[in-house]
Amino acid sequence: MARVPTRTKPGRNGRPRTRTDGTTGVGETVLANGLKLLTLERHDVPIVTVMIWYRVGSAREEEGRTGLAHFLEHLMFKGTDRYKKGEIDRLTQRLGATNNAMTSRDCTCYYFNLPAGDWLPALEIEANRMRRCRFPPGEVELERSVVLEEIGRNEDSPYGALDTAVFAAAYSTHPYRHPILGWRDDLAGVRRGAIREFYDRHYHPSNAFVVMAGDFATPQAVQAVERLFARIPPGPRPDRPVRTESRAKGEKRVAVRMDVQVPKVQILFRTVPGNHADDRVLDVVASLLSDGRSSLLFRRLVEERRLMTDVDTVNDTKVEDGVFWIYGTIHPEVHPDRGVDEVVRCLERIATQGPSVRALAQAKNQSEADFLYNWEKVFNQAYLVGKSELLGDLDRLGRYTKDVQSVTAADVRRVVSEYLGPDRMTVGLLLPERRCASGAPARSPSMNPVRARRSAGGPDARREPEVVALLRQGRS
């Protein structure tokens, strides 16, 4: 297949030149200041999605200053030198459009869904607030209250608390261990100057790319992006060293006690970066384990052994260190350890025996169907193009179905054995609160070995399409 180039040389007149991938139809244009524009025309529906991605998420935050990426996402809507507070949303509504933003561990993304023909205001807004946000002190304090309230809601969320505990246990030093929303104490004490410094360091053309998908013409989009963004200085050279953390062997386990009726379990395995070839194999493994009633974990844990009432998996792709999740609800009459032990036995069986021919074919077809289903909608296309660029593997879109269908039983055995072994897992248990003799809840154990507190920031994706899960992390 034709490969989307990582850089685009200027044309004869010095203007940027667009290269188009022959398989996916994705066009790539790079301005002199480093800003990249990725375009995907689709003229069957009168909709355009405009996104701008910044290569900064919670993983780029410093110890003691967590939550800045998400806090800044909120403040980007609070006024610039051109748009007053609330004006971006009012303009969006007048166009019959929608806008929002989302922060993950690896990125911050702002997006608009607009009627065809009305996409230019989205680019004008993003070009303006890339460098012209004001951050009025009063708005910083108001939005601090909003973010702290959001953290509070997640502190009371069973899965939010469990996610935080599991991530903090799985990573000792890597910033993936911090919740996306940040720790409460850090957000309560962060100063406006620190927010401005974070903005000045990361919000520049050299650290961003624009994605457009839908009913528009690429030449007009390139012209508009060049006119609006080309004069913005590239900014400081992005400092994105790949940070690794050794995967110490041995199971890790944390327990969280909250007001729940039945125990839940969440198992995390650290795997590979999203541009690694084994990432696609892990997609197939996720389908093999939990897609449908005939999948291995569902059949064994729910229907045959009745150890769990539900079970699911997700291959949570990340830039530096992917995560494979297995999570479910323990049957009320079963000790949680029995459910975890049976998960381990199922994985060991796949590592030694491999999947059946029929089960593997079914899992590959389901993985391909999930991808093609997501690819049907304009927003999802823009999101998948952006996510692939973020992972440094844009041409994965054109080869995804081929890669999935080429997965063999030997690939599955090798990947499960290498990444999903019992000595590589972090187990999180959400347990009903113990009660003292007086009936009052007993004190819960510390969930974080460094900070004994709960906070938000769950997996970046559940088993549902990840675009839906990421949307739920957007502004309140």
Side-chain angles (χ1 to χ4, degrees):
M1 59 160 280
R3 178 184 171 89
V4 178
T6 56
R7 297 294 292 177
T8 304
K9 296 181 180 179
R12 294 180 180 177
N13 59 358
R15 300 279 300 280
R17 184 176 60 188
T18 300
R19 297 278 188 87
T20 303
D21 181 272
T23 301
T24 62
V26 176
E28 181 194 49
T29 311
V30 182
L31 304 187
N33 60 10
L35 182 76
K36 182 180 289 189
L37 169 65
L38 301 172
T39 53
L40 181 60
E41 294 186 30
R42 173 179 170 178
H43 301 289
D44 55 333
V45 289
I47 297 172
V48 177
T49 293
V50 176
M51 293 180 163
I52 186 164
W53 296 64
Y54 291 93
R55 298 178 186 273
V56 55
S58 61
R60 294 294 156 192
E61 297 163 351
E62 300 172 358
E63 189 75 29
R65 287 188 171 185
T66 63
L68 282 177
H70 177 256
F71 196 178
L72 179 56
E73 174 212 309
H74 280 242
L75 292 171
M76 292 286 283
F77 291 84
K78 300 306 175 182
T80 72
D81 63 353
R82 177 177 176 181
Y83 301 98
K84 296 180 181 180
K85 176 185 176 181
E87 191 172 348
I88 292 175
D89 289 338
R90 288 192 294 271
L91 176 58
T92 302
Q93 291 173 356
R94 287 199 298 270
L95 293 172
T98 60
N99 77 81
N100 212 324
M102 50 194 175
T103 303
S104 74
R105 285 177 165 82
D106 292 320
C107 72
T108 308
C109 175
Y110 304 84
Y111 63 89
F112 291 79
N113 295 307
L114 309 114
D118 289 328
W119 48 265
L120 183 58
L123 292 175
E124 292 174 337
I125 290 169
E126 297 304 352
N128 178 253
R129 65 179 172 179
M130 176 178 276
R131 296 299 317 133
R132 309 297 291 182
C133 284
R134 291 287 183 85
F135 310 124
E139 292 301 326
V140 171
E141 294 310 312
L142 286 173
E143 209 59 30
R144 187 198 308 274
S145 299
V146 172
V147 174
L148 289 174
E149 182 181 350
E150 190 174 350
I151 291 176
R153 289 197 301 268
N154 279 278
E155 287 176 342
D156 295 330
S157 164
Y159 262 125
L162 187 59
D163 293 336
T164 302
V166 172
F167 264 107
Y171 297 90
S172 299
T173 60
H174 196 286
Y176 278 171
R177 72 188 308 274
H178 300 301
I180 295 170
L181 300 186
W183 298 110
R184 173 180 287 277
D185 292 350
D186 292 347
L187 263 297
V190 68
R191 301 300 182 186
R192 177 172 174 267
I195 299 169
R196 166 62 72 174
E197 180 186 356
F198 193 82
Y199 173 72
D200 290 341
R201 190 189 321 155
H202 297 289
Y203 277 60
H204 294 279
S206 60
N207 199 42
F209 58 92
V210 175
V211 180
M212 293 182 62
D215 191 9
F216 67 97
T218 295
Q220 284 73 28
V222 172
Q223 184 179 29
V225 168
E226 185 182 14
R227 175 173 61 84
L228 294 167
F229 289 89
R231 294 183 181 180
I232 303 175
R237 184 177 180 85
D239 181 19
R240 292 192 295 269
V242 176
R243 289 161 295 184
T244 59
E245 179 183 321
S246 61
R247 294 176 175 84
K249 290 190 175 183
E251 176 189 319
K252 299 178 182 180
R253 191 171 288 224
V254 292
V256 177
R257 291 190 178 273
M258 294 186 71
D259 185 14
V260 295
Q261 298 300 312
V262 292
K264 295 182 181 293
V265 61
Q266 193 161 290
I267 304 174
L268 179 153
F269 299 90
R270 291 169 52 196
T271 56
V272 296
N275 59 1
H276 195 288
D278 285 344
D279 182 65
R280 263 67 84 203
V281 182
L282 288 164
D283 281 349
V284 175
V285 172
S287 181
L288 184 73
L289 290 175
S290 66
D291 263 340
R293 302 180 70 86
S294 62
S295 60
L296 178 60
L297 290 183
F298 186 89
R299 187 179 70 250
R300 185 67 172 169
L301 291 164
V302 178
E303 293 194 334
E304 294 179 1
R305 302 296 302 276
R306 297 181 63 81
L307 300 176
M308 295 187 182
T309 57
D310 60 73
V311 63
D312 217 336
T313 62
V314 64
N315 179 34
D316 185 4
T317 304
K318 298 186 185 302
V319 170
E320 295 179 2
D321 200 358
V323 169
F324 192 94
W325 292 96
I326 300 177
Y327 55 95
T329 304
I330 303 295
H331 194 283
E333 299 177 359
V334 171
H335 192 282
D337 285 351
R338 290 183 58 198
V340 174
D341 291 345
E342 190 61 34
V343 168
V344 171
R345 280 190 285 269
C346 288
L347 293 174
E348 289 176 338
R349 177 182 174 186
I350 294 179
T352 55
Q353 302 178 18
S356 68
V357 174
R358 179 179 179 182
L360 179 59
Q362 193 172 28
K364 292 194 293 186
N365 290 340
Q366 185 63 54
S367 296
E368 181 178 355
D370 288 344
F371 174 79
L372 295 175
Y373 175 78
N374 277 336
W375 190 251
E376 288 183 356
K377 295 185 178 181
V378 170
F379 176 86
N380 292 5
Q381 288 179 344
Y383 176 81
L384 291 171
V385 169
K387 184 66 178 288
S388 297
E389 170 65 22
L390 181 72
L391 296 173
D393 192 11
L394 186 55
D395 62 347
R396 79 200 297 259
L397 294 173
R399 69 171 194 266
Y400 183 85
T401 57
K402 180 180 179 181
D403 286 350
V404 164
Q405 290 298 341
S406 68
V407 172
T408 66
D411 292 330
V412 172
R413 290 197 303 271
R414 174 183 57 80
V415 165
V416 172
S417 176
E418 184 171 353
Y419 307 119
L420 309 187
D423 61 342
R424 291 183 176 271
M425 68 182 186
T426 301
V427 179
L429 296 176
L430 182 66
L431 305 173
E433 288 182 325
R434 290 191 295 260
R435 296 273 168 177
C436 301
S438 63
R443 185 175 181 178
S444 298
S446 168
M447 301 181 305
N448 185 331
V450 178
R451 311 177 188 211
R453 60 190 177 196
R454 295 197 299 265
S455 190
D460 292 338
R462 291 294 187 193
R463 193 59 189 138
E464 59 191 328
E466 67 175 337
V467 291
V468 177
L470 277 173
L471 285 176
R472 292 174 181 168
Q473 295 176 8
R475 294 184 293 151
S476 299

